[in-house]
Amino acid sequence: RIFVLGIGFFTLCFLMTSLGGQFSAKRLGDSPFTIRTEVMGALESRGVLRRMSDMLEMLMKRMDILARLENSTDFHKGDEARFPLDRFQPAAGLMERIQAIAQNVSDIAIKVDQILRNSLLNGKVMEGRRDQCEVPRDPKYPDCAGKVEWMRARWTSDPCYAFFGVDGTECSFLIYLSEVEWFCPPLPWRNQTAAAPSPPPLPRVQAAFRSDLAHLLELVGTGKESLSFMKKRIRHLAQQWLRAARRLEQKLKGRQRDQKHILIHIGFLTEESGDVFSPRVLKGGPLGEMVQWADILAALFLLGHSLRVTVSLKELQSHLGVPPGRGNCPLTSPLPFDLIYTDYHGLQQMKQHMGLSFKKYRCRVRVIDTFGTEPAYNHEEYATLRGYRTNWGYWNLQPTQFMTMFPHTPDNSFMGFVSEELNQTEKQFIKSNKVSSMAVVYGKEASIWKGKEKFLAILNKYMEIHGTVYYETQRPPEVPAFVKNHGLLPQHEFQQLLRKAKLFIGFGFPYEGPAPLEAIANGCVFLQARFNPPHSSLNHEFFRGKPTSREASVSSQHPYAEDFIGKPHVWTVDYNNSEEFEAAVKTIMRTQVDPYLPYEYTCEGMLERIHAYIQHQDFCTTSSPPPSPKTKSPAMQSPPSPLALSPNGTHLVWSPGASRDPHAWPPVDSLQVWVSESQHTCTETCRRHGLVCEPTFFRFLNKEEVFLQLSITCDSTEYEMNHLYPAVAENVHECYLQKEPLLFSCAGYNTKYRRLCPCRDYRQGQVALCRDCL
């Protein structure tokens, strides 16, 4: 009998738990598209209540039968007479409780039944509304009807639409297109459920320089050789980074800086992009990209910003808030990051999975782009019409959102990387231990040595040649027997080799890597080949398909070293001229050089540059382009030019009396306007005057009156899309202004035109920043 009572009690508990689960699992009103589902769930709950009431009633009947059997049986003999009474006193109390619960359950069943009847009635009203929706005709939403038509045909093509509640009805289409996307006007009957206005944003947390890199190493993660390489590099340079952060903190003198929430997604390391780099880390493959990413991570972290690091598509989707499906829907919530640093692979992955949100938030993206993306390749329509379209371009971003390894094109932002710095004691030690007859070849892959026997034979007459070519079991046949090959060396051993060597020699490839700067920083002279004609996408396979023409700019293996460092540290000679090559080798052996590292490639230089970009670059608020002459009315005449002729009359400068926007960056005081020669780009024109081309200043030049101020005769002036404009065709006195601001470009030239070029000054050793830019 006690056993039966226990079973009854636990059955009651189980039923009550099940009932609670029925109600908690489904809540009416969770979604405007689940009314029918919720009603069915509640009907099931009503059935559970009734079954529970029936079971309790049956339990009561069985308890009553057991009680009668107890009274009719003779259990009153001897000492056992008192036991039944003791046992059934608590049982009677339990029966009273069961009776009370049964009554409560019966009352609840009646109330639930009433609620469900009201819910069904409301559901029918809502169903009527859902079936009666019509596509609104609102001129403010011209695409609404077309989008509804598309949804009718395609709403099952991606599960994300069902995730947002689309169920095939007209109203679900309109609700989605007005509340999740923004192609249709809000439905009037939905206004009652509109969310309350969000509270004002909380004050931003201020960024504070960090003094420890341990947490960054945790953020980078594990599981890939490439990640291990980057963490080793961060650890190796940790003390230099920390000293540089302290110096910049003192330089900024407590200036307020908002802490940014930053996502770093290294797309080329994801499995979906192939991750060709990780397996090659231990086999001599190119490491330049991983060097740069490691330095970017260290700089952003030390500047005090909040970071998230991903190297997988799944993590990217999770951090962005991508809904389940195939990527056609917007994100489930506002983007939680102020900035996203990624590469071309990551950019493609974001576009595939963010739907319309990609267009909304792309102004927050910064693309790490080794070789750069010129405006002509970036503008989708223009690239398609003019033959500049490649597999990597046509993103319609602001060109300065692309960040390069070297400052070879001012159209992009120069991100860079760092090389190890030496103190004075280390520099003196290196100078005293240099072996003047020792050379190291730039090239860890055997293919780079192929066909270079002639140069190597000349070099071998004067110097002992060392190589660091990767091989597994057999020495590569491309490496001559007289070369001392060390195999692939760890970074610190490679540094020791450079500290002994006098010469670091390149054979034309790879282009623009970090190794020559490391060699120069360790006291080597870098010898490289001059390319005649210069390499570009027009004549060299390596650049073909990349979103940059690099016209006349790749004049050597490492143009930055040639243009910004030069002799005595960098020698650029014609390798096809054996006499010139041999003479250069003999001169280098006699030349004494100190270890040298440009400031912009120090830890402090990179921190300074990234700090300035984060503080001042804002691509989410852009000024509108000036109206073209055909759209101007007498009341829309453009304001007078803020430019004035320089005292010597050779160029234009910012007029002392013109107003200045205190938030403009770079500051307009640094602007100088020069007219190019017909065979020169604006990049070359500014450089010839000791300046840097600054594309953000083009908007001040793109006016008719600027031609007049420069005494340029214009018989006609036209607005057109052309990456060479503003410019003048002097032989016919035709002037051209830029119609599309995304096409303002420092790159490119045509012998037909002389271009108007916006130039600025720059900080010594920091070409990315003007003198007053910090």
Side-chain angles (χ1 to χ4, degrees), residues 207-226:
F209 283 90
R210 292 190 172 98
S211 58
D212 187 0
L213 287 164
H215 181 56
L216 174 61
L217 298 174
E218 296 176 7
L219 289 175
V220 172
T222 58
K224 291 177 179 285
E225 288 293 340
S226 49

Side-chain angles (χ1 to χ4, degrees), residues 452-757:
K452 306 300 188 298
E453 296 83 4
K454 182 178 178 181
F455 314 132
L456 290 168
I458 296 173
L459 185 61
N460 187 49
K461 290 176 10 182
Y462 302 97
M463 307 185 88
E464 181 183 73
I465 305 174
H466 294 250
T468 57
V469 182
Y470 169 80
Y471 65 96
E472 291 184 356
T473 55
Q474 189 173 358
R475 181 186 177 94
E478 296 88 347
V479 181
F482 56 75
V483 174
K484 186 175 181 180
N485 185 29
H486 299 265
L488 192 64
L489 294 177
Q491 185 65 15
H492 69 280
E493 292 184 25
F494 181 63
Q495 293 275 357
Q496 294 302 318
L497 191 64
L498 292 177
R499 292 184 179 189
K500 281 184 175 181
K502 177 73 175 184
L503 176 66
F504 189 63
I505 181 171
F507 285 151
F509 190 83
Y511 296 101
E512 299 175 307
L517 284 190
E518 293 177 349
I520 296 167
N522 282 286
C524 294
V525 174
F526 178 51
L527 176 63
Q528 63 172 348
R530 180 186 298 114
F531 299 148
N532 190 17
H535 292 181
S536 71
S537 61
L538 304 177
N539 63 12
H540 204 273
E541 189 62 33
F542 179 83
F543 291 101
R544 194 165 292 128
K546 290 182 171 58
T548 173
S549 63
R550 299 294 297 274
E551 289 178 307
S553 67
V554 188
S555 56
S556 62
Q557 181 175 353
H558 208 291
Y560 175 86
E562 178 185 7
D563 296 333
F564 289 89
I565 301 177
K567 291 182 179 179
H569 302 280
V570 179
W571 288 64
T572 305
V573 302
D574 182 2
Y575 278 24
N576 292 320
N577 186 329
S578 300
E579 293 180 359
E580 183 181 354
F581 177 81
E582 189 168 358
V585 171
K586 290 191 287 188
T587 304
I588 288 169
M589 292 179 67
R590 297 191 303 266
T591 304
Q592 294 294 319
V593 297
D594 293 330
Y596 173 72
L597 180 62
Y599 175 76
E600 54 202 352
Y601 284 97
T602 65
C603 292
E604 185 178 353
M606 187 169 185
L607 283 170
E608 183 179 274
R609 193 164 56 248
I610 294 181
H611 155 74
Y613 290 154
I614 291 175
Q615 289 300 108
H616 299 291
Q617 285 186 335
D618 181 4
F619 303 112
C620 297
T621 55
T622 55
S623 58
S624 58
S628 66
K630 296 178 182 178
T631 62
K632 285 183 181 178
S633 67
M636 292 176 60
Q637 295 302 315
S638 59
S641 170
L643 304 174
L645 200 62
S646 65
N648 61 8
T650 58
H651 61 283
L652 300 181
V653 296
W654 195 265
S655 174
S659 61
R660 291 164 172 77
D661 180 358
H663 302 292
W665 195 84
V668 292
D669 301 82
S670 62
L671 169 62
Q672 296 183 28
V673 182
W674 291 83
V675 182
S676 77
E677 298 298 327
S678 57
Q679 70 274 22
H680 290 161
T681 66
C682 279
T683 302
E684 178 65 19
T685 298
C686 294
R687 185 178 297 162
R688 284 171 174 260
H689 295 288
L691 303 168
V692 176
C693 183
E694 179 50 65
T696 59
F697 286 155
F698 267 113
R699 66 184 188 274
F700 301 119
L701 284 58
N702 202 44
K703 299 176 181 179
E704 290 180 68
E705 52 266 36
V706 174
F707 290 109
L708 296 175
Q709 289 180 291
L710 290 165
S711 301
I712 295 174
T713 303
C714 298
D715 292 343
S716 65
T717 304
E718 298 291 336
Y719 271 78
E720 294 182 10
M721 282 204 314
N722 190 311
H723 71 287
L724 302 180
Y725 295 166
V728 56
E730 282 192 317
N731 58 331
V732 291
H733 303 295
E734 293 176 349
C735 297
Y736 300 92
L737 296 174
Q738 182 59 260
K739 184 179 179 181
E740 171 52 71
L742 284 180
L743 286 173
F744 284 139
S745 176
C746 295
Y749 72 93
N750 187 309
T751 54
K752 176 182 176 182
Y753 301 116
R754 296 185 69 192
R755 302 187 57 191
L756 302 190
C757 299

Side-chain angles (χ1 to χ4, degrees), residues 182-194:
W182 42 88
F183 292 105
C184 294
L187 300 176
W189 55 273
R190 294 280 298 172
N191 287 344
Q192 300 175 6
T193 60

Side-chain angles (χ1 to χ4, degrees), residues 60-109:
M60 288 292 299
K61 289 178 180 179
R62 291 183 178 179
M63 291 286 293
D64 189 53
I65 292 170
L66 285 171
R68 289 199 200 105
L69 287 172
E70 181 69 25
N71 292 332
S72 61
T73 306
D74 184 12
F75 281 96
H76 303 287
K77 297 182 181 177
D79 294 336
E80 295 178 356
R82 66 179 182 276
F83 294 157
L85 182 61
D86 294 340
R87 278 197 296 267
F88 277 91
Q89 281 178 346
L94 180 60
M95 287 184 65
E96 290 175 4
R97 292 190 182 94
I98 291 173
Q99 285 177 329
I101 291 171
Q103 182 62 45
N104 288 337
V105 169
S106 179
D107 294 341
I108 291 171

